[in-house]
Amino acid sequence: MDQQGMERYVAGRSEVLQHEPGYLLFKFSQVSMAVISDAEHDRMRIIAPVVSYDELDEAAKDAVMEANFRSALDARYAVSNGVLYAAFIHPMIALS
């Protein structure tokens, strides 16, 4: 998979909200997501908002951090602007 192929694949299965080379903001199943790619470094990530971080109790926050460390492999969790995001990060060339 290359950057253009990945962008075509996502665009063909979702509602595209914004598109620039290496960045595609789209809506899938009523959720706004972004796919960000870097062809030079053969990396891509898909990010999607999950929940307002303030809505999580301490046990849920601990579970997310533990998942990042122990079991999340290519998926990760991150917080930005008070929102918990899920991120899938992977080399593009390995995608099919």
Side-chain angles (χ1 to χ4, degrees), residues 3 37-43 92:
Q3 186 173 3
S37 57
D38 181 341
E40 182 179 338
H41 294 101
D42 187 39
R43 301 297 292 175
M92 281 189 291

Side-chain angles (χ1 to χ4, degrees), residues 16 42 70 93:
V16 175
D42 187 39
R70 295 189 184 273
I93 199 157

